[in-house]
């Protein structure tokens, strides 16, 4: 009973965060779905592929070749591979339909993010129950994370947290480090962004530690004591990710054109402006918001973090240095150009706000530390309530529905003679790439429901079209 009572704050903040994130789903009789008709439906398509692959249902028998981009193969490796999400989704899918399974998967991801970070703060930072719960709330449900609901693969950061936990556990039992490496590899298999960012952040950390004498002494001591296990794990990691690297290299998806990267350039001002319900009510009304260029956590949250950073006693220089490094990369395009040209995998980072994922754990730790060290309970709770309210977004995060998705699928009649389809949208006058992307995903879902192949596809590496080779009745008119 005592143990359950000690988790009361954790349960409170988890329920609060899930309510803030998913109230449109719960209040719409489970009709409204997270994300939009493009990215989110694409993710569900891949998750459905995993479910059908497990059952070996045609044409999904090949794990790395979901039946899109026909006749190309290896289509899974045209974007994030989502293996970690698939491990959660498939069990749900045997019990629920694709839409509810998708939503339950996101809820599970949030719960795992919260639980893993809570354990990290409690076990290794020794913070109070309230501080751990609040820090985990910031890590899991902050405004930046919420506004990435179109890209739920980025919600799998708990894999990196589990990796860190097992690395810390390996101080007593060295073999635990190999479990951490497995989690780290699974992070890359799930979200290339997060897997790559972990090592990029580690590289920044090494550089920062080398710049300060006391940090440098700690670093050299650590390497001296653990270099054998470090090298062993690096070799193990390389072995684990070899299949993934093989499939990615086949599709040549490790670099976007730099002109595309420049389209997603952000500014320091975009780190202050945000789509918080509270901030838009008090300070400004933001128009033209894009989750790919804005990364503000909220005015009050930012001021709270600055205060906490000033009060921080341990590793303050490191925190300031890595925050400045990451913000500089995001806001000075010439720095990103250096990374793009000279860092392996750097060209795969299209939206520069993705770098902000490096800072979310740091901000969460600072938040927990600051709450821990506030003396007056009244002030402590007022700050918590203010920041919690500030995490409510007015950005439309649930832009598609079950009914809408089914209407699109059912509007197409596919002849039984067709094994491959293509929806011909070439005659539609449009200059919107977003609209064209939606048609691509429409075609994928029509093919999925009919258990056939499609020329359509959606990912980082767009394959050549071959629809002219299809039977005329298999080239469907756009609805």
């Amino acid at each position: 009973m005592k143990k359950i009572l000690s988790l009361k704050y954790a349960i409170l903040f988890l329920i609060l965060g899930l309510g803030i994130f998913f109230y449109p789903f719960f209040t719409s009789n489970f009709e409204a779905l997270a994300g939009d008709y493009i990215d989110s439906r694409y993710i569900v398509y891949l998750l459905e592929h995993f479910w059908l692959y497990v059952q070996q249902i045609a044409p999904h028998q090949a794990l790395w070749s979901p039946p899109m981009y026909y006749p190309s193969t290896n289509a899974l490796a045209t974007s994030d591979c989502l293996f970690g999400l698939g491990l959660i989704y498939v069990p749900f899918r045997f019990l629920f339909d694709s839409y509810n399974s998708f939503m339950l998967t996101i809820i599970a991801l949030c719960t795992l993010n919260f639980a893993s970070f809570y354990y990290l703060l409690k076990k290794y930072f020794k913070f109070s129950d309230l501080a751990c719960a609040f820090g985990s709330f910031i890590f899991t449900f902050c405004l930046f994370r919420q506004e990435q609901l179109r890209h739920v693969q980025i919600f799998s950061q708990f894999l990196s947290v589990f990796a860190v936990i097992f690395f810390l556990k390996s101080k007593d039992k060295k073999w635990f480090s190999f479990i951490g490496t497995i989690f780290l590899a699974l992070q890359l298999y799930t979200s290339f962004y997060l897997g790559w960012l972990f090592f990029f952040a580690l590289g920044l950390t090494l550089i920062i530690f080398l710049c300060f004498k006391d940090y440098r002494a700690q670093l050299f001591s650590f390497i001296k004591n653990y270099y054998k296990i470090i090298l062993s794990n690096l070799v193990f990691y390389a072995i684990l990710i070899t299949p993934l690297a093989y499939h990615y290299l086949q599709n040549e998806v490790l670099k976007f054109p730099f002109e595309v990267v420049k389209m997603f350039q952000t500014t320091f001002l975009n780190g202050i402006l945000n789509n918080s319900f509270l901030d838009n009510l008090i300070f400004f009304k933001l128009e033209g918001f894009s989750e790919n260029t804005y990364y503000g956590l909220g005015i009050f949250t930012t001021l709270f973090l600055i205060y906490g950073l000033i009060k921080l006693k341990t590793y303050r220089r490191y925190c300031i240095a890595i925050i400045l490094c990451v913000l500089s990369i995001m806001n000075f395009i010439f720095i990103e150009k250096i990374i793009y040209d000279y860092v392996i995998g750097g060209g795969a980072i299209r939206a520069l706000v993705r770098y902000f994922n490096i800072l979310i754990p740091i901000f969460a730790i600072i938040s927990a530390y600051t709450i821990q060290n506030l003396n007056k309970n009244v002030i402590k709770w007022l700050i918590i309530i203010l920041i919690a309210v500030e995490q409510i977004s007015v950005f439309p995060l649930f832009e598609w529905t079950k009914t809408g998705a089914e209407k699109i699928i059912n509007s197409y009649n596919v002849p039984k003679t067709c094994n491959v389809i293509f929806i011909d949208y070439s005659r539609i006058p449009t200059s919107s790439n977003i609209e064209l992307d939606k048609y691509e995903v429409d075609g994928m879902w029509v093919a999925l429901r009919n258990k056939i192949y499609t020329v359509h596809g959606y990912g980082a590496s767009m394959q050549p079209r071959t629809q002219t080779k299809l039977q005329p009745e298999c080239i469907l008119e756009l609805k």
Side-chain angles (χ1 to χ4, degrees), residues 63-300:
L63 178 62
W64 289 94
S65 297
M68 60 183 186
Y69 286 133
Y70 182 86
S72 299
T73 57
N74 195 41
L76 186 63
T78 57
S79 190
D80 292 313
C81 292
L82 309 182
F83 281 103
L85 273 64
L87 291 173
I88 299 170
Y89 178 87
V90 170
F92 282 134
R93 187 62 181 88
F94 280 106
L95 300 172
F96 306 99
D97 65 23
S98 58
Y99 304 115
N100 286 330
S101 297
F102 172 61
M103 292 304 301
L104 287 170
T105 298
I106 306 176
I107 291 170
L109 291 173
C110 291
T111 304
L112 287 167
N113 275 332
F114 188 95
S116 61
F117 208 77
Y118 185 91
Y119 181 86
L120 179 69
L121 293 177
K122 191 68 180 173
K123 177 74 173 178
Y124 296 100
F125 287 84
K126 308 297 182 183
F127 290 144
S128 67
D129 295 339
L130 178 59
C132 290
F134 182 67
S136 302
F137 174 84
I138 294 297
F139 176 73
T140 308
F141 300 111
C142 67
L143 202 60
F144 173 79
R145 185 89 72 188
Q146 184 180 172
E147 288 163 352
Q148 300 298 314
L149 270 170
R150 290 178 181 175
H151 315 284
V152 296
Q153 67 272 29
I154 298 174
F155 280 57
S156 64
Q157 203 167 10
F158 70 90
L159 293 168
S160 294
V161 178
F162 277 137
V164 170
I165 289 170
F166 277 100
F167 289 147
L168 292 170
K169 284 181 177 291
S170 68
K171 185 176 181 181
D172 299 319
K173 296 181 180 179
K174 288 185 171 55
W175 64 271
F176 273 155
S177 65
F178 293 100
I179 299 177
T181 299
I182 292 172
F183 275 111
L184 209 51
L186 183 57
Q187 181 73 89
L188 194 69
Y189 274 87
T190 302
S191 168
F192 182 87
Y193 275 129
L194 293 180
W196 184 86
L197 286 172
F198 184 96
F199 281 95
F200 184 77
L202 187 62
L204 286 180
T205 299
L206 290 174
I207 293 170
I208 293 168
F209 269 55
L210 288 172
C211 292
F212 296 97
K213 185 177 180 181
D214 51 340
Y215 291 173
R216 190 162 59 242
Q218 294 177 42
L219 176 62
F220 290 158
S221 176
F222 176 80
I223 294 173
K224 181 180 178 181
N225 292 328
Y226 296 102
Y227 73 93
K228 290 182 180 178
I229 198 70
I230 293 171
L231 291 174
S232 299
N233 275 279
L234 286 174
V235 172
F236 183 47
Y237 182 80
I239 293 170
L240 290 175
I241 68 167
T242 295
L244 181 67
Y246 169 77
H247 287 282
Y248 270 144
L249 290 171
Q250 277 189 313
N251 285 339
E252 300 179 356
V253 296
L254 291 182
K255 231 172 192 182
F256 287 101
F258 194 68
E259 292 303 313
V260 173
V261 178
K262 287 171 69 175
M263 290 169 55
F264 292 93
Q265 185 177 0
T266 185
T267 66
F268 285 105
L269 180 62
N270 288 5
I272 297 173
L273 298 174
N274 60 80
N275 224 32
S276 164
F277 160 78
L278 188 62
D279 290 5
N280 277 256
L281 188 66
I282 299 175
F283 299 111
F284 48 74
K285 186 172 179 58
L286 186 63
E287 297 181 0
F289 180 87
S290 170
E291 80 279 8
N292 289 318
T293 53
Y294 286 85
Y295 55 96
L297 293 173
I299 302 295
F300 296 112

Side-chain angles (χ1 to χ4, degrees), residues 332-350:
F332 296 116
I333 197 68
F334 75 91
I335 301 178
E336 171 57 21
K337 185 65 167 69
I338 295 170
I339 296 169
Y340 179 92
D341 287 335
Y342 300 108
V343 179
I344 295 173
I349 305 299
R350 177 175 51 176

